[in-house]
C-alpha cells in the first residue's frame, strides 16, 4: 500500500496501529456492497476529529481502497441497484448519527456534519457510497500535512476532479470540499489544478450551482493562482464574469472568498485590473462595490482585502492615484490597518499593501505621511516582542516572536516607500524615535527579509543630501552596510550597493571611512556580476568615488578594476553600465596631471574604446558622454597629442560638430576648444604646441565650422564657438 | 492635487443638493424644534437639510435638553470678529499687529455628550495676511481675545505651523499647515474624550485626549483678511464621518454582545429563563409557560389554575364581555374589586361602553345572533401585546376633534326618562392616546412621559438571546460607577413608567381596523335590541350612582368624571362609532383595562404586577438616557431600540 509517511513517524504510528483500525479497513473489502457502505460510514464516524485514527487508516491503506470505491461507483451502475434499498436508508438515518456527531469534537466537525446530514438524505445507493467515500477522504485531509501528502501521492486530485462530472450536487460539494482542503495546503503542488485543461472551465460552470460550490471553488482558485500564467488561465476562462456576481451574495463567506479571489487575480496584472474596472455588479462599478467593502463596521478581513483589490487596480493603472476612492478611502483604510488595534498579521499586510500602493506616487506619500500619525504609528512595529509579553504570557511571547520579523520588515518597507521622494517626509522618518538605530540593527538581523527591507529603507533615506550629511554619518550606517555587502544574496546586494553609491557621493562625510575600509575591491567584483543591476551599481559607486578624488584613489580604482575589465564594461550590453563606465572614465580623466598620467599609461586602449563607441550604434547620451571624455583628454597637456595625432578621431569630432543634435555639437566643440586653447603664461614649448595644433585644425577645416557655429541657434553652442574663435585670434 | 479634490467635492455637493431638492417640500412640515423660520427659501432649504443631517448624525440627542451647535454665536465672540452669512462666516476685523490682537468666536451651544461622536468642518476662505488661524474647542468663559488652545480648557490646531495647542501657549508638532482652500475638520469623540482633526477629508490622528465636557466649537483669527466658513452640518462633510461613526457603533455593540460574564454563565441563564417564564405567565400564556418551564426545568411561582383563571378573565375583557369578567373576578378573587374601587369603576365604565358596542353579555343575551357561551371573540384583539409603533393616524383621529358640543341634553341630575341620558360637556374632547386611560396609581405625567416608549416597551419576547442582549445592556450600563447612585433613584421612576406602559397595548393594526370597518354597516346601538338598550340605560344610571357613591367616600375624582362623561357621550350620537368620542368603542381600548385588571389580580396574589422583562427594558432605556445626562458618549451607540428587533 502506498504508505508515504516519513520514516520515523511511520514507526511510531505503526506501533500504535490497533486491531480496530485494521478492522475498519478490512470492512472496505467485504464482498457485500451494503456492508462496504456501512463500513465507510463507520469509518467516517471514527475519524472525525481524530488525527491518530486518520494516520492509522492512511498507513493501513484505506486511501487507495476508498479511491477505488469512489471510481467504481462512478463507472458502474451495478452497485447502485444492489445497494439501493429502503433498509439502508433507515439504517443510515438512525439517531446513531446525530448522537455520534455530538460526542466527537473537533473544528471540522460542524462542517463535516452538515455534509454528513445532507448526504444521508440521498436516495441512490451508489451516490451515497461515493459521497461517503469522499467525506472520509475529506476528513483525512483535515488532519496533518503528512495526511495531505499521502492523499496527493495516491492521486486523489485527479480522482476527485473526475468526480465533479457527476450531476449530483451533494456529491460535487463533497468533492469540492475535499479538493479545497487539499489545495489550500502548502504541501500540494498547485500545478495539479492546471494539468487537465478541461478542469478550470468545468469549475467555472459549477460556480452557479450553490453557495457552497462558490465558496469552495473560489478558495481553490485563490490558493492556486500563484503566477501570472495562472492569472491568465483563470482570466481567459471568464473568472471575472463568473465571480463578480458573488460579491453581492447573501452569504458573507461567499462574498469574502470572491473578494480574495479578485485580489489574487488582480495582483500585478494589468489585463485583469483593466477588465475589473469596467465590470458592473448589479448596476454598480466594481470599484464602488469594493469601496463599500471598506466600510469601517465591516470585518477587518473584508476591509483589508477590498483595499488590496483597489490597490492592485490602482498600481496596474486601472484607477488613477488621485481618484477619491484611492485618496479618501483605500489609503486611509490601509493606514487604519497599521494601527495598534489591529492584529499583528493585519498590521503586516496593511503596511505592505500601503507601501505598494504609494510607492510610485509622491502625492500619496505626502498624504499618507500626515494620515493618523502613520510615521509614529510605525515605530510601534519595532516593539515586539514587548518586554511585558516575555514575563507575563508565554503564549503571547511566542506569537509576538513569530510576527516580530514580519512586522519589522513591513515597517521598513513602508518607511522606504514613504521616504522615496519627499525630503520633508525623510526628515520626519529619521526624527522618529531611534529610527536610525533600528535601521542599523535591522541591517544585521538574521532574517533576510528584514535585512532587505532595512536596506531598502536606508536606500530611500540616502537620497537625501541632508540625511547623508547628518544622521547617516552620525550613526555610521556605512559599517553595517559594508558588512552586508560581504556575501549577501543578490537582491540584498542590489539595494545595499545602490545605497553605497549614494554614500560615496562627494559631499557625503561617510565617503572617507568607506574608502579606507577597502571598498574598491568589493565594487570591482560587483562589476563582474551576472546581474546587470549589480554591475551598474558597482560601476556607479566607482564613478561616484572617482569624482574629484585624489590621484591615489584614482590609481587604486584603475589598478583594481584593470583595463581589461574596464573595456569589457565599455562593451556591456546594458546601456546603464556603459553610461556609468563612461562616467567613471570621465571622472578619472579630470584635472590635467591626472589626465596626462592615465593617458600615458592607458592612452592607447582608451582611444580605441572611444573610437569604437563613436562608431557604434549608441544613444545620443552615450555619444555625448564619449565626446566629453575626448574633451577631457584634450584638456591634458601631453594627452592632447593622442587626439592631434589621430586623424580618424579628428574627423569624427568634425562630424559631430556638424551633427543635428546640439548636445553632441556642444560636446564636440568643447573638445576642439580644448585643443586650440591658448593658455597665457604657459611654457614656451606648450605655446608652440598650441600654434601647431591651431594650424593643423585650420587645415582640417575646423575654423570654418566654428565660424558657422557662432551663428548657431543654441546660445551655449554659440558662446562656446565664439570663445574658441577668440583663442584662435590670440 | 489639492485643486483636484475640491472640484470633485464641489460637484458631489451639487448632486446631493439636487437630489435633496426633490424631497424637500414634503418634509418641510416636520421641521423640528429650534428651527428659525426666515423668509429666504434658500435659507429654509439649507436649514431643512441641516435638520435632516443633524437628526441622522446624532439621533440620541434630545435637542430640547441639549441643543446642537448650528452657527457661531454673535454674543460669544471678541469684538475683532465679524460674522456674516447666517453667522457661519467668520472674518477678522482687528489690527492684527501681534498675538494680543487675536480673536475667537464660539458656537451657539456646547457639544452634547449624547452625540457620541461630534464633527464640524471649517473651510479656509482666505488665509489673510499671515494665516494665523486656529480651529478647535473651548469651554464657556475662556478668554476670547486669544486663539483656541492657548488657555486652560481651550484646544486648537493652528494653520501657520500645523501645531496643536492643548491649553498651552506652546504648541506640539501635530499635522500639516493649512491655508486658503483647505477644509479642516474637527471631530470630538465623547466616548473616549479625544479629538482628531481632518484636512481635506484625511484624518490627521488624535490631537487631544482627556477632554473636559461641554466644549464649544471655536475658531480664532489673528491677522487682517482671514476668513473662514463653518459647516455644522449645513452641507455634506468632506470627511466621511458617518463611516467613522459606524466603526464606533460596531465597537460598542460588540462590547455589549461580548460582555464577559465569566463564571456567572449559569446564573445568567437562570435569570434569563426566569424572565421569559415570568413574561409568559404574566400574560397568561399558560401552555407556553408550562412547556417552557418543562424544557428549562424551572418552576413557575403561580399555580396553573391561577394562570388559567387570569387568562380567562383577560379573554373576557378583550372580548368585550366586561360584565362577565367582573363576575368572574369577584367570584375567583373575592374582595379584590371591592378594595379597588377605582378599578371597579373603570371596569364598569368599560362595561357600559361595551353595552353600547353590543358586545357585553348583559346586552348580548338579548341578541339572537350570539349565545353567551360562544368561545370565539370576533373583532377582539389577540391577547398578547404586539409589535408596532403607535400609529399616528389613530392618534390624530382623536386629537383632531377638539370639541363635541353638539346639541346634547344638559348634563347631570337628569333623572327624566330621556332616551339619551348622555352626559356631555363642551370641552370633553376625546384624547385617543391609550395611555390617557389611567388607572388608579398612575398619574398623568407618567402617561405622557411613557408615550414615546410605547412603541418599544411592548415588544415581545420570543427570543431568549435578545433578552440576553438586553440584560447585557442593563448590566453594562449599570456597571458604570459614575451613575450607580443616581441609578437607584431612577429605577423607581422606571417602575412607575413601565406600569403604565404595560397597559399600553397599542394595537394599532390596520387589519383589525379594517375588520371593524367591514362590520360597520350592520352596527347598531346595543346590537339594535330594544330591551338591551333599556338595560344599558339602567346600567348607566347604576354607574352614575356608583360614581356619586365614590365621590362621597373618596372625594371628587376628575378622572372618573371624565371617564363617565366620555362613556355617556357616546349616546349623544346617532352613529357612536363615527363620532368624536367613538374611539372608545375600538376593541383595542380594552387592552388598558385588561392589563390593569391583570396587574391588580397579580398584585393581590403577592406576585409582581409587571413582568421583570419589561422592567429590564424600561431600566435599560432609562439608563441610556441617564448616560447622556452624565455625559457618557457611548449612549449614542447603545440605544435600546437597536437591540429590540
Amino acid at each position: 500500500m502506498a504508505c508515504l509517511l516519513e520514516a520515523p513517524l511511520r514507526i511510531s504510528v505503526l506501533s500504535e496501529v490497533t486491531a480496530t483500525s485494521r478492522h475498519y479497513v478490512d470492512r472496505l473489502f467485504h464482498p457485500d456492497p451494503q456492508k462496504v457502505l456501512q463500513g465507510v460510514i463507520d469509518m467516517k464516524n471514527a475519524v472525525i476529529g481524530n488525527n491518530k485514527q486518520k494516520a492509522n487508516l492512511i498507513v493501513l491503506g484505506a486511501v487507495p481502497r476508498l479511491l477505488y470505491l469512489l471510481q467504481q461507483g462512478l463507472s458502474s451502475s451495478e452497485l447502485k441497484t444492489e445497494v439501493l434499498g429502503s433498509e439502508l436508508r433507515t439504517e443510515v438515518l438512525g439517531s446513531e448519527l446525530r448522537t455520534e456527531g455530538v460526542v466527537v469534537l473537533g473544528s471540522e466537525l460542524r462542517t463535516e456534519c452538515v455534509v454528513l446530514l445532507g448526504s444521508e438524505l440521498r436516495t441512490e445507493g451508489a451516490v451515497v457510497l461515493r459521497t461517503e467515500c469522499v467525506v472520509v477522504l475529506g476528513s483525512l485531509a483535515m488532519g496533518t500535512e503528512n495526511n495531505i501528502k499521502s492523499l496527493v501521492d495516491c492521486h486523489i486530485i485527479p480522482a476527485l476532479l473526475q468526480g465533479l462530472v457527476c450531476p449530483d450536487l451533494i456529491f460535487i460539494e463533497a468533492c469540492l470540499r475535499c479538493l479545497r482542503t487539499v489545495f489550500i495546503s502548502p504541501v500540494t503542488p498547485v500545478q495539479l489544478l492546471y494539468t487537465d485543461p478541461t478542469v478550470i472551465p468545468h469549475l467555472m460552470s459549477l460556480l452557479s450551482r450553490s453557495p457552497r460550490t462558490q465558496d469552495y471553488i473560489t478558495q481553490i482558485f485563490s490558493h492556486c493562482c500563484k503566477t501570472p500564467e495562472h492569472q491568465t488561465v483563470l482570466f481567459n476562462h471568464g473568472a471575472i464574469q463568473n465571480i463578480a456576481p458573488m460579491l453581492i451574495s447573501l452569504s458573507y463567506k461567499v462574498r469574502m472568498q470572491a473578494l480574495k479571489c479578485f485580489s489574487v487575480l488582480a495582483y500585478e496584472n494589468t489585463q485583469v485590473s483593466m477588465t475589473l474596472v469596467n465590470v458592473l455588479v448589479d448596476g454598480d462599478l466594481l470599484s464602488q462595490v469594493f469601496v463599500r467593502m471598506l466600510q469601517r463596521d465591516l470585518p477587518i478581513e473584508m476591509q483589508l482585502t477590498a483595499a488590496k483589490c483597489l490597490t492592485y487596480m490602482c498600481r496596474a493603472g486601472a484607477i488613477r492615484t488621485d481618484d477619491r476612492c484611492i485618496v479618501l478611502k483605500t489609503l486611509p483604510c490601509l493606514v487604519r490597518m497599521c494601527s495598534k488595534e489591529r492584529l499583528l498579521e493585519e498590521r503586516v499586510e496593511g503596511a505592505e499593501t500601503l507601501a505598494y500602493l504609494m510607492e510610485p506616487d509622491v502625492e500619496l506619500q505626502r498624504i499618507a505621511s500626515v494620515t493618523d500619525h502613520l510615521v509614529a504609528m510605525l515605530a510601534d512595529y519595532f516593539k515586539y516582542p514587548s518586554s511585558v509579553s516575555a514575563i507575563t504570557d508565554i503564549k503571547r511571547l511566542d506569537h509576538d516572536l513569530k510576527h516580530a520579523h514580519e512586522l519589522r520588515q513591513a515597517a521598513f518597507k513602508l518607511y522606504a516607500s514613504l521616504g522615496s521622494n519627499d525630503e520633508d517626509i525623510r526628515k520626519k522618518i529619521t526624527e522618529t524615535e531611534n529610527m536610525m538605530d533600528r535601521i542599523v540593527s535591522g541591517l544585521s538581523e538574521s532574517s533576510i527579509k528584514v535585512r532587505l527591507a532595512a536596506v531598502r529603507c536606508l536606500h530611500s533615506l540616502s537620497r537625501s543630501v541632508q540625511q547623508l550629511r547628518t544622521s547617516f554619518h552620525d550613526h555610521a550606517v556605512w559599517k553595517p552596510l559594508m558588512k552586508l555587502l560581504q556575501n549577501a544574496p543578490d537582491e540584498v546586494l542590489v539595494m545595499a550597493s545602490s545605497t553605497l553609491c549614494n554614500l560615496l557621493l562627494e559631499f557625503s562625510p561617510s565617503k572617507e571611512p568607506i574608502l579606507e575600509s577597502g571598498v574598491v575591491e568589493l565594487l570591482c567584483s560587483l562589476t563582474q556580476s551576472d546581474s546587470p543591476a549589480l554591475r551598474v551599481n558597482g560601476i556607479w559607486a566607482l564613478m561616484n568615488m572617482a569624482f574629484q578624488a585624489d590621484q591615489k584613489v584614482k590609481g587604486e580604482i584603475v589598478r583594481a578594476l584593470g583595463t581589461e575589465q574596464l573595456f569589457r564594461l565599455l562593451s556591456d550590453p546594458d546601456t546603464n553600465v556603459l553610461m556609468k563606465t563612461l562616467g567613471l572614465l570621465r571622472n578619472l580623466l579630470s584635472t590635467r596631471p591626472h589626465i596626462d598620467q592615465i593617458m600615458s599609461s592607458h592612452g592607447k586602449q582608451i582611444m580605441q574604446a572611444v573610437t569604437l563607441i563613436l562608431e557604434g550604434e549608441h544613444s545620443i547620451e552615450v555619444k555625448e558622454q564619449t565626446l566629453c571624455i575626448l574633451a577631457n583628454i584634450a584638456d591634458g597637456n601631453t594627452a592632447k597629442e593622442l587626439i592631434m595625432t589621430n586623424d580618424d578621431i579628428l574627423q569624427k569630432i568634425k562630424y559631430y560638430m556638424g551633427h543635428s543634435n546640439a548636445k553632441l555639437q556642444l560636446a564636440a566643440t568643447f573638445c576642439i576648444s580644448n585643443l586650440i586653447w591658448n593658455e597665457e603664461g604657459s611654457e614656451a614649448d606648450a605655446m608652440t604646441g598650441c600654434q601647431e595644433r591651431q594650424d593643423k585644425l585650420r587645415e582640417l577645416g575646423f575654423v570654418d565650422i566654428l565660424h558657422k557655429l557662432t551663428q548657431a541657434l543654441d546660445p551655449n553652442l554659440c558662446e562656446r564657438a565664439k570663445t574658441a574663435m577668440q583663442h584662435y585670434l590670440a | 492635487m489639492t485643486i483636484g479634490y475640491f472640484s470633485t467635492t464641489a460637484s458631489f455637493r451639487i448632486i446631493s443638493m439636487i437630489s435633496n431638492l426633490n424631497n424637500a417640500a414634503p418634509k418641510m412640515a416636520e421641521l423640528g424644534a429650534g428651527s428659525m423660520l426666515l423668509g429666504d427659501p434658500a435659507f429654509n432649504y439649507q436649514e431643512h437639510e441641516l435638520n435632516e443631517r443633524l437628526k441622522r448624525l446624532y439621533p440620541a440627542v434630545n435637542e430640547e435638553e441639549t441643543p446642537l451647535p448650528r452657527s457661531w454665536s454673535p454674543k460669544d465672540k471678541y469684538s475683532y470678529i465679524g460674522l456674516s452669512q447666517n453667522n457661519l462666516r467668520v472674518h477678522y476685523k482687528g489690527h492684527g499687529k501681534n498675538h494680543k490682537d487675536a480673536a475667537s468666536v464660539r458656537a451657539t451651544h456646547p457639544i452634547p455628550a449624547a452625540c457620541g461622536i461630534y464633527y464640524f468642518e471649517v473651510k479656509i476662505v482666505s488665509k489673510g495676511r499671515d494665516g494665523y488661524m486656529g480651529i478647535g474647542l473651548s469651554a464657556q468663559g475662556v478668554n476670547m481675545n486669544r486663539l483656541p488652545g492657548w488657555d486652560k480648557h481651550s484646544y486648537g490646531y493652528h494653520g501657520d505651523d500645523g501645531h496643536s495647542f492643548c491649553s498651552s501657549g506652546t504648541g506640539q508638532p501635530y499635522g500639516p499647515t493649512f491655508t486658503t482652500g483647505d477644509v479642516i475638520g474637527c471631530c470630538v469623540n465623547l466616548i473616549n474624550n479625544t479629538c482628531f482633526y481632518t484636512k481635506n477629508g484625511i484624518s490627521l490622528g488624535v490631537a487631544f485626549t482627556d477632554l473636559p465636557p461641554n466644549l464649544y466649537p471655536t475658531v480664532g483669527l489673528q491677522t487682517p483678511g482671514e476668513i473662514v466658513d463653518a459647516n455644522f452640518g449645513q452641507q455634506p462633510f468632506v470627511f466621511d464621518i458617518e463611516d467613522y461613526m459606524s466603526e464606533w457603533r460596531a465597537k460598542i455593540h460588540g462590547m455589549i454582545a461580548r460582555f464577559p460574564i465569566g463564571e456567572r454563565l449559569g446564573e445568567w441563564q437562570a435569570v434569563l429563563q426566569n424572565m421569559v417564564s415570568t413574561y409568559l405567565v404574566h400574560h397568561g400564556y399558560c401552555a407556553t409557560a408550562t412547556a417552557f418551564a418543562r424544557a428549562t426545568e424551572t418552576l413557575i411561582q403561580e399555580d396553573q389554575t391561577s394562570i388559567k383563571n387570569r387568562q380567562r378573565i383577560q379573554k373576557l375583557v378583550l372580548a368585550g364581555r366586561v360584565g362577565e369578567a367582573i363576575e368572574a373576578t369577584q367570584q375567583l378573587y373575592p374582595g379584590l374589586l371591592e378594595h379597588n374601587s377605582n378599578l371597579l369603576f373603570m371596569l364598569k365604565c368599560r362595561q357600559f361602553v361595551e353595552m353600547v358596542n353590543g358586545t357585553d353579555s348583559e346586552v348580548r343575551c338579548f341578541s339572537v345572533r350570539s349565545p353567551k357561551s360562544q368561545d370565539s371573540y370576533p373583532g377582539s384583539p389577540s391577547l398578547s401585546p404586539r409589535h408596532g409603533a403607535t400609529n399616528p393616524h389613530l392618534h390624530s383621529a382623536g386629537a383632531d376633534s377638539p370639541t363635541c358640543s353638539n346639541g346634547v341634553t344638559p348634563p347631570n341630575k337628569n333623572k327624566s326618562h330621556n332616551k339619551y341620558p348622555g352626559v356631555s360637556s363642551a370641552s370633553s374632547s376625546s384624547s385617543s392616546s391609550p395611555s390617557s386611560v389611567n388607572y388608579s396609581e398612575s398619574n398623568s405625567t407618567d402617561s405622557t412621559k411613557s408615550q414615546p416608549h410605547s412603541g418599544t416597551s411592548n415588544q415581545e419576547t420570543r427570543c431568549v438571546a435578545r433578552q440576553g442582549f438586553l440584560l447585557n445592556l442593563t448590566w453594562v450600563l449599570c456597571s458604570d460607577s459614575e451613575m450607580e447612585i443616581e441609578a437607584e433613584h431612577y429605577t423607581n421612576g422606571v417602575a412607575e413608567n413601565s406600569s403604565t406602559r404595560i397597559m399600553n397595548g397599542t394595537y394599532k393594526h390596520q387589519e383589525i381596523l379594517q375588520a371593524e370597518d367591514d362590520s360597520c354597516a350592520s352596527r347598531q346601538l346595543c346590537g339594535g335590541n330594544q330591551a338591551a338598550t333599556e338595560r344599558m340605560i339602567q346600567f348607566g344610571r347604576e354607574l352614575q350612582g356608583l360614581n356619586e357613591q365614590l365621590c362621597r367616600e373618596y372625594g371628587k375624582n376628575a378622572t372618573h368624571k371624565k371617564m363617565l362623561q366620555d362613556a355617556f357621550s357616546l349616546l349623544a350620537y346617532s352613529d357612536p362609532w363615527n363620532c368624536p368620542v367613538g374611539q372608545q368603542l375600538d376593541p383595542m381600548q380594552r387592552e388598558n383595562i385588561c392589563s390593569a385588571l391583570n396587574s391588580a389580580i397579580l398584585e393581590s396574589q403577592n406576585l409582581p404586577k409587571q413582568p421583570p422583562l419589561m422592567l429590564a427594558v424600561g431600566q435599560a432605556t432609562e439608563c441610556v438616557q441617564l448616560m447622556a445626562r452624565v455625559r457618557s458618549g457611548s449612549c449614542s451607540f447603545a440605544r435600546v431600540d437597536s437591540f429590540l428587533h
Side-chain angles (χ1 to χ4, degrees), chain A residues 153-169:
Chain A
D153 289 337
C154 289
H155 305 290
I156 188 180
I157 292 174
L160 290 173
L161 289 173
Q162 190 73 43
L164 297 178
V165 188
C166 172
D168 186 87
L169 181 60

Side-chain angles (χ1 to χ4, degrees), chain B residues 611-623:
Chain B
L613 177 68
M614 300 320 287
L615 199 69
V617 173
Q619 258 177 343
T621 312
E622 200 65 26
C623 231

Side-chain angles (χ1 to χ4, degrees), chain A residues 296 329 363 367 372-373, chain B residues 1 203 206 240 243-244 247:
Chain A
R296 293 187 182 202
K329 290 289 173 187
E363 197 51 47
I367 292 168
D372 286 337
H373 308 301
Chain B
M1 192 70 195
S203 162
V206 170
D240 192 347
D243 196 25
Y244 179 73
E247 185 182 347

